[in-house]
Amino acid sequence: MSLKFIHYPRCTTCKKAQKWLDDNGIKYDAIHIVEQTPTKEELKSYWEKSGLPLKKFFNTSGQKYRSLGLKDKLGSMPEEEQLELLASDGMLIKRPIVTDGEKVTLGFKEEEFEQTWK
């Protein structure tokens, strides 16, 4: 099974997740989230498979998120518009996103990776 590992190389959380995958001998295709930002359709699919609220897909600690004032806007923004916004800029997306086409994890929590990807 080869995973898609959608990440930002300078992100420390992504580095921890990548190290975990490497240490556990799990093969993956690394995809740079800014150079190959997931499309709106891909994001919608990840969101639906993750079972998480869409707002969890936003990188709330990022500068772009803060500069756009999204904290106050997301609550009233339609889901279609949120997906378009996410697809417009990889830096707005929480990372890493790891998927095998069926399951999706967002961010890095070791316990979650143990349960999902081992």
Side-chain angles (χ1 to χ4, degrees):
M1 162 181 85
S2 188
L3 300 177
K4 268 190 185 178
F5 178 69
I6 304 164
H7 71 122
Y8 184 64
R10 293 202 314 242
C11 163
T12 53
T13 304
C14 294
K15 287 177 186 174
K16 288 178 194 166
Q18 193 165 21
K19 181 180 180 335
W20 187 93
L21 292 170
D22 290 342
D23 289 351
N24 285 278
I26 297 167
K27 292 190 181 347
Y28 57 87
D29 295 318
I31 299 164
H32 192 300
I33 201 163
V34 176
E35 293 171 2
Q36 290 178 267
T37 304
T39 64
K40 181 179 162 188
E41 291 71 28
E42 287 172 318
L43 287 163
K44 185 172 185 172
S45 169
Y46 301 154
W47 165 49
E48 289 169 347
K49 289 175 179 160
S50 75
L52 295 167
L54 186 54
K55 69 179 183 192
K56 293 278 190 199
F57 276 78
F58 282 87
N59 176 14
T60 55
S61 57
Q63 290 176 325
K64 186 85 178 202
Y65 180 88
R66 289 197 296 268
S67 70
L68 292 173
L70 292 175
K71 183 176 150 208
D72 303 321
K73 295 178 184 169
L74 282 183
S76 60
M77 190 183 287
E79 288 170 350
E80 276 304 295
E81 203 175 314
Q82 289 182 46
L83 287 164
E84 282 171 20
L85 189 59
L86 285 166
S88 74
D89 189 337
M91 294 306 278
L92 282 172
I93 304 170
K94 183 171 176 73
R95 54 195 182 253
I97 297 173
V98 183
T99 183
D100 62 1
E102 293 301 315
K103 300 179 298 239
V104 175
T105 57
L106 188 60
F108 175 65
K109 291 190 181 83
E110 192 167 342
E111 317 80 66
E112 189 181 15
F113 268 47
E114 288 278 344
Q115 290 171 352
T116 310
W117 305 123
K118 243 185 164 170

